[in-house]
Amino acid sequence: MPVDGVPSAPARSPAGLAALLGVRIPIVQAPMTYIAGAQLAAAVSNAGALGVIETTSVQGREDLGRVRDLTDAPVAANIALAARNDPATVDVLAAAGIRTVITSAGDPRVMTGRLHDAGMTVFHVVGSLRNALKAADAGVDGVIVEGVEGGGFKNPQAASTLVLLPLVASRVHLPIIAAGGICDGLSMAAALVLGAQGVQMGTRMLTSAESPIHDNLKNAVVGADETATVMLSVRGLPTMRVLRTPTAERALAAGRSDVGLDGIPALYFTGDLAASMANTGQVAGRIAQVEAVADIIEQTWAGARAALDDARARLDA
């Protein structure tokens, strides 16, 4: 769709992707369960990028309505297909005025047709070339290519963004949003060079001033170095990249966890870092401070263009 009456550029360019999403800046906020609610999504959308509401939690679904009190800008929604693939979800999203949907954690064929029938644009999250090809065959409008360095649920055999992104870009001729390892202009510029038209940021948004999570977790991420996450694959839990807390270290050593995922709300909102596993990407090692969402987005967008100009100047020197 055009933005402010300006004709859309081809969707395989950053400007084209921005037009497709209805935003000014081709940056997307990751759909983190419990975190990606109205408060964070509205801040992102008001800054010119695309905020996302998660629909896995009850609070997230309720925030589909509440977000309209906070922004008139486009907001997307996420459907984690493994947890929520009820066809009635499409009607809920349509009633909330959602025009872009990010599907993840499942087969995109389950919902893509229904979402298209409702006039929605569909991006699907993929962690392998095989899944990217399957998503393209399912008719999605674009893919979010997420490398194994990203936080959250992962395939332990998956590849990094540096490997996966150009591989998918060479085989899948759809708009691509890169995720995993991205937090600033330098990493966005790298993603654009590797074949993406935009980026998604999770850990960076998790630590933003508008993120609803407790300062204990924000400070733990800001204080982390590049080795401070671990890919945890133990009995009773899905494989996921998490912050290397004492709780995670015990689980890693024992091959099982003494806490489950039901403690995540306590971890996020009371700051009890022992309550569960803190899904966090390796890029935590590059995040130095808590900043406002608008500053993160503008600095990332300006920084990406500056980084590309600098690279060109160094090549020509």
Side-chain angles (χ1 to χ4, degrees):
M1 67 187 75
V3 180
D4 297 330
V6 178
S8 299
R12 288 278 287 182
S13 72
L17 176 64
L20 179 64
L21 301 177
V23 300
R24 178 172 59 88
I25 298 173
I27 295 175
V28 178
Q29 162 238 314
M32 301 164 284
T33 304
Y34 299 117
I35 299 169
Q39 177 177 308
L40 181 57
V44 172
S45 292
N46 284 334
L50 187 65
V52 180
I53 302 285
E54 58 90 8
T55 64
T56 300
S57 73
V58 173
Q59 181 63 54
R61 295 192 291 277
E62 291 175 349
D63 277 7
L64 289 168
R66 192 169 79 87
V67 73
R68 285 302 161 211
D69 296 330
L70 304 175
T71 185
D72 294 325
V75 173
N78 168 244
I79 302 174
L81 296 168
R84 189 167 186 80
N85 56 20
D86 182 351
T89 301
V90 179
D91 297 329
V92 173
L93 299 183
I98 297 296
R99 306 302 299 169
T100 300
V101 176
I102 296 169
T103 57
S104 58
D107 186 344
R109 291 175 298 181
V110 172
M111 297 288 278
T112 298
R114 294 187 179 97
L115 293 166
H116 279 164
D117 289 345
M120 299 176 194
T121 298
V122 182
F123 275 70
H124 187 66
V125 179
V126 300
S128 68
L129 174 61
R130 177 174 177 271
N131 286 341
L133 293 170
K134 287 178 62 177
D137 287 343
V140 302
D141 301 289
V143 291
I144 298 176
V145 176
E146 185 169 20
V148 76
E149 63 266 62
F153 300 153
K154 290 286 173 289
N155 177 344
Q157 281 78 48
S160 70
T161 302
L162 186 66
V163 173
L164 182 61
L165 176 55
L167 181 62
V168 173
S170 72
R171 297 282 302 278
V172 176
H173 302 294
L174 292 171
I176 294 174
I177 297 168
I182 297 161
C183 69
D184 61 2
L186 283 174
S187 44
M188 182 175 187
L192 297 178
V193 170
L194 291 172
Q197 289 76 53
V199 298
Q200 175 179 283
M201 294 193 288
T203 302
R204 189 68 192 93
M205 294 300 182
L206 178 150
T207 58
S208 69
E210 291 88 345
S211 167
I213 68 167
H214 196 278
D215 284 347
N216 285 357
L217 181 52
K218 291 184 186 182
N219 292 335
V221 173
V222 168
D225 65 20
E226 75 278 11
T227 67
T229 66
V230 60
M231 184 77 83
L232 191 66
S233 187
V234 300
R235 189 168 63 252
L237 290 177
T239 298
M240 50 190 171
R241 182 172 296 283
V242 301
L243 200 62
R244 196 185 288 272
T245 61
T247 302
E249 292 279 22
R250 285 197 306 274
L252 188 65
R256 58 180 176 79
S257 177
D258 51 14
V259 299
L261 300 184
D262 54 353
I264 285 179
L267 183 152
Y268 286 167
F269 304 121
T270 72
D272 181 2
L273 297 182
S276 190
M277 303 300 173
N279 290 328
T280 309
Q282 283 184 323
V283 79
R286 298 195 60 235
I287 298 172
Q289 60 185 332
V290 173
E291 294 180 275
V293 161
D295 292 336
I296 292 169
I297 290 169
E298 290 295 343
Q299 290 167 13
T300 298
W301 185 225
R305 289 175 291 175
L308 292 170
D309 288 343
D310 178 64
R312 170 60 66 183
R314 286 186 283 117
L315 281 173
D316 293 341

